Amino acid sequence: MTEKVMDSHITHVEDEKDTKVVQVQNVAFADALSKQKSPIFTTRMFKLYFCLLIATFNSCINGYDGSVMGSINSYPQYREYFGFDPLAGTPSTGIVYAIYTIGNLVGSFAAGPATDYRGRRWGMFLGSAIIIIGTIVQATCTNIGGFMGGRFLLGFGVAICASAGPAYVAEMSHPAYRGTMTAIYNTFWFIGGIPGTFVPYGTRNIEGTMSWRIPVWVQMVFAGIVLAFVLFLPETPRWLIANDRHEEALDVMAKYHGEGDRNSPIVQLTYREMVEDISSTGSDKRWWDYSQLFNNREVRYRSMLVISMGIFGQWAGNGPVSYYYPQMLAGAGISSHTTQLLLQGFQNVISFAGAIFGAIFTDKWGRRPQLLVSTSIVVVFFILITALNATNLATDSEGQPTAKNPHQAKAEIAIIFLFGFVISAGYTPLQALYPVECLRYESRAKGMGMYNFAVNIASFYNTFVTGIAFTGAGWKYYFLFIFWDSLTVVFIYFFYVETKGRTLEELTEIFSHPKPVKYSLQKAQVVVHGNEGVTEVLDKAQAA
């Protein structure tokens, strides 16, 4: 019988006499993995899963808001209460959306210091506390100023959680399964997004303000779970080592990564690497110091990948792809508002399935192939959608776009659903995982704040430019995304490093190499003799 650990393509063998020749990304890590079996169904591993689950609820918060506001914004009860136009968008409705993003942008600068100062746990605690305060302000408000103030606080708190949460998950995850464990973090956006659609669906017929206040109150559920449990979780060993608490760090690693054994191969390897790589006097000790994001070639390369990942994830076209969705629904004969809300909910379900699919297989595929293949498929989808819109859109007597052919309209709806699956499989798992992997410990919290800032700048563009662009250019605006996504494929191919199969600290040798991409793709050929570990390196030129 064999058990495969996908991180390094090492095969663990129960018969110690069995010998295998395998290719690995890092010899030391492969040696530790082959010596120490890491079963996923043990009491200690389930305790680790609980710790990661609490941190992962941070991702639900953003997902819920992203869906709930899109739903209640169409409610006549909501629009009437705040004096918005019953049908058309107004500057005020745009500002309600924008103020959340502004809070997120401002909060990005507080996220790093909040996550570094007392640890990842206290960062999550502070962020969720601010979110709860913002929810209370928003749900009890009597005017638009109060509603917007609550949304600003909400965005501010989410920015802190969005930095502390992924950092905690990546740093606490078992090294053998870090890829999948951290990739699952961002898939929980849909755990928030799905109820963010169906809760408003359930309250849509309630008379008065409770139709929209109830969905807003539910916003505090996920933040409340984090607030209630997070301080009972262990702090990450990397933060403990950075703050000279080595014994505590070893205890945490032994409990969650070594089945209680401080001397287990994985615990000893990762502890040595952390001690060598993590500085006790780094910029994480100085709230104002962002220099380690830009002060040499290695960290500038890391920061370039982090920022580009934030932009690519937002500008891949997952919003604009459905710009003519209402017209396609009408063209397909789907005019019921209830049915449209249900379809929006099911679209989230399909995207969630894609995200889970991508998270499970990220360590098998690798980060580069996952991004390259999914983005290439997205280019094909955009070509098809452009062709369908070019041949199916017409202008009605009121000057509004409408679909001519119901069959083509149904085809476009199907492509939009498939698009959601593919983009979620390729990008959603990696939007938290890849930036965390690219950042050194000392700059990880501030770097995630920088990543969140880039995400929100790109999102701000999507919110305010997309409608204007489609009004001016119509379906031809899709040509921009065909070009942009093609450019993204080229950029990823030439600049994105492969991060699977190594510990977080071992990634330093990739970024410090003169040719990071080429070095990250190299593998060493080794002999693994049963449970004795790596007994011989056959291809020493590529051994790390």
Side-chain angles (χ1 to χ4, degrees), residues 146-160:
F147 193 81
M148 290 171 62
R151 287 191 58 71
F152 178 87
L153 288 174
L154 205 65
F156 191 96
V158 165
I160 297 175

Side-chain angles (χ1 to χ4, degrees), residues 86 89 122 133 140 167-168 241 247 297 352 368 387 395 429 478 521:
W122 279 98
I133 294 171
T140 60
Y168 183 89
I241 286 174
E247 289 300 311
R297 187 202 68 85
F352 178 52
R368 277 171 52 89
T395 303
Y478 284 128
L521 298 175

Side-chain angles (χ1 to χ4, degrees), residues 64 199 203 206 209-219:
Y64 184 85
V199 170
T203 65
I206 297 176
T209 63
M210 294 308 294
S211 62
W212 57 266
R213 291 189 193 273
I214 290 173
V216 170
W217 276 115
V218 174
Q219 181 101 45

Side-chain angles (χ1 to χ4, degrees), residues 35-81:
K35 289 176 179 176
Q36 176 187 329
K37 290 184 179 181
S38 301
I40 60 175
F41 299 115
T42 68
T43 301
R44 293 182 187 275
M45 286 295 281
F46 277 108
K47 289 180 180 178
L48 175 60
Y49 300 151
F50 176 78
C51 296
L52 301 181
L53 176 65
I54 297 302
T56 300
F57 277 126
N58 287 288
S59 186
C60 302
I61 300 166
N62 205 12
Y64 184 85
D65 184 84
S67 293
V68 78
M69 280 306 300
S71 297
I72 68 173
N73 188 53
S74 64
Y75 284 8
Q77 303 98 312
Y78 165 80
R79 300 181 77 89
E80 180 181 339
Y81 186 81

Side-chain angles (χ1 to χ4, degrees), residues 61-62 98-114 123 126-132 134 148-163 452 456:
I61 300 166
N62 205 12
I99 198 69
Y100 176 84
T101 302
I102 293 170
N104 226 300
L105 289 169
V106 176
S108 298
F109 293 98
L126 177 63
S128 57
I130 295 172
I131 289 167
I132 289 174
M148 290 171 62
R151 287 191 58 71
F152 178 87
L153 288 174
L154 205 65
F156 191 96
V158 165
I160 297 175
C161 288
S163 295
N452 190 61
N456 279 281

Side-chain angles (χ1 to χ4, degrees), residues 230-256:
V230 72
L231 295 185
F232 296 100
L233 306 184
E235 188 50 78
T236 73
R238 288 169 174 86
W239 186 88
L240 293 170
I241 286 174
N243 288 272
D244 291 325
R245 293 160 63 176
H246 289 239
E247 289 300 311
E248 292 176 64
L250 274 169
D251 287 340
V252 171
M253 285 190 284
K255 181 176 181 178
Y256 295 101

Side-chain angles (χ1 to χ4, degrees), residues 9 62 69 325 384 443 445 541:
H9 296 263
N62 205 12
M69 280 306 300
Y325 190 55
L384 293 174
S443 56

